[in-house]
Amino acid sequence: AQSVTQLDSQVPVFEEAPVELRCNYSSSVSVYLFWYVQYPNQGLQLLLKYLSGSTLVESINGFEAEFNKSQTSFHLRKPSVHISDTAEYFCAVSLSGGYQKVTFGTGTKLQVIP
Amino acid sequence: KAGVTQTPRYLIKTRGQQVTLSCSPISGHRSVSWYQQTPGQGLQFLFEYFSETQRNKGNFPGRFSGRQFSNSRSEMNVSTLELGDSALYLCASSLGPAGTQYFGPGTRLLVL
């Protein structure tokens, strides 16, 4: 079975500073990887995903994540954060193929400080 | 396209009661998954339905059950509610198994 670990439960960062949210997964077979964001009192929204192909994936709001198979990581980065990025971020993994449940990490709360 | 809708948005129940939550997926999506989110346990997978059949199940007691209808709408039922069932219940739909999941706003359940 696959698993995912988010190493930091909370990450405070000043506005306009860069940020990296860490995610490591465990699986012996091919996986799909996702980052979701949850704003207060809302459901989860897909931020970006890796299914295959280029290992660097980007979102429309400036986030990017790189799939690193050798390090089994899928860290999320943004070069300059904004107050509106304050939210909880979840990394998720599923085995490639059909009928595979998605396993979520425990989440990282990003607190952007003005 | 309309997003995933969940009803009701908020519920207050007492211990021992039962509750039914509803989820309408995005049009054309045939897979529906349910999750329980709590501050202590995070996001935990409950079950996934595809074409009216349960395809995957998480580690929850039998008090938690679900079903999917021919129009892909899904319901989740929790019987004999316990205080620990208080949580945000999220529904997600996808085109098919292992597809990208799109989440609804959730149903917040409070058990007193």
Side-chain angles (χ1 to χ4, degrees):
Chain A
Q2 73 273 26
S3 66
V4 60
T5 302
Q6 291 184 248
L7 298 167
D8 306 299
S9 59
Q10 293 190 60
V11 173
V13 62
F14 284 106
E15 191 175 16
E16 297 184 3
V19 70
E20 177 180 83
L21 306 183
R22 296 180 291 171
C23 172
N24 287 89
Y25 69 92
S26 174
S27 173
S28 58
V29 297
S30 297
V31 296
Y32 297 149
L33 293 158
F34 309 85
W35 275 100
Y36 285 85
V37 59
Q38 185 176 33
Y39 297 103
N41 299 314
Q42 294 186 27
L44 275 70
Q45 300 174 33
L46 179 67
L47 193 58
L48 46 76
K49 61 185 178 184
Y50 169 79
L51 303 181
S52 64
S54 173
T55 57
L56 184 65
V57 290
E58 299 176 351
S59 71
I60 57 173
N61 56 354
F63 283 95
E64 65 178 30
E66 185 163 18
F67 170 57
N68 188 319
K69 189 174 181 179
S70 62
Q71 297 188 5
T72 61
S73 67
F74 191 57
H75 301 330
L76 182 69
R77 302 183 182 95
K78 188 171 185 179
S80 175
V81 295
H82 189 266
I83 290 289
S84 60
D85 294 325
T86 295
E88 190 160 17
Y89 293 79
F90 292 89
C91 182
V93 62
S94 71
L95 301 181
S96 60
Y99 307 124
Q100 304 295 346
K101 71 176 186 180
V102 179
T103 301
F104 284 83
T106 50
T108 298
K109 290 184 179 176
L110 176 62
Q111 178 68 45
V112 180
I113 305 163
Chain B
K1 277 187 182 178
V4 178
T5 58
Q6 292 186 246
T7 56
R9 291 293 312 279
Y10 304 93
L11 265 178
I12 300 176
K13 293 285 188 178
T14 56
R15 279 182 298 174
Q17 287 187 308
Q18 74 160 17
V19 67
T20 299
L21 312 182
S22 179
C23 171
S24 292
I26 292 171
S27 178
H29 285 195
R30 296 171 61 195
S31 180
V32 173
S33 298
W34 288 90
Y35 297 86
Q36 181 195 65
Q37 186 178 26
T38 59
Q41 300 294 322
L43 265 167
Q44 292 187 287
F45 172 77
L46 279 156
F47 25 67
E48 177 187 10
Y49 287 88
F50 178 74
S51 293
E52 302 177 65
T53 302
Q54 188 180 90
R55 303 292 181 172
N56 270 301
K57 189 178 190 306
N59 297 321
F60 278 81
R63 300 186 297 107
F64 291 81
S65 63
R67 58 178 175 169
Q68 187 180 33
F69 301 96
S70 58
N71 62 357
S72 295
R73 190 176 70 85
S74 177
E75 286 183 348
M76 190 191 94
N77 185 276
V78 187
S79 63
T80 321
L81 283 166
E82 300 177 0
L83 295 179
D85 297 333
S86 295
L88 178 67
Y89 290 88
L90 292 165
C91 164
S93 76
S94 60
L95 281 171
T100 301
Q101 297 192 329
Y102 295 87
F103 283 79
T107 294
R108 190 166 295 279
L109 172 65
L110 176 62
V111 182
L112 301 175

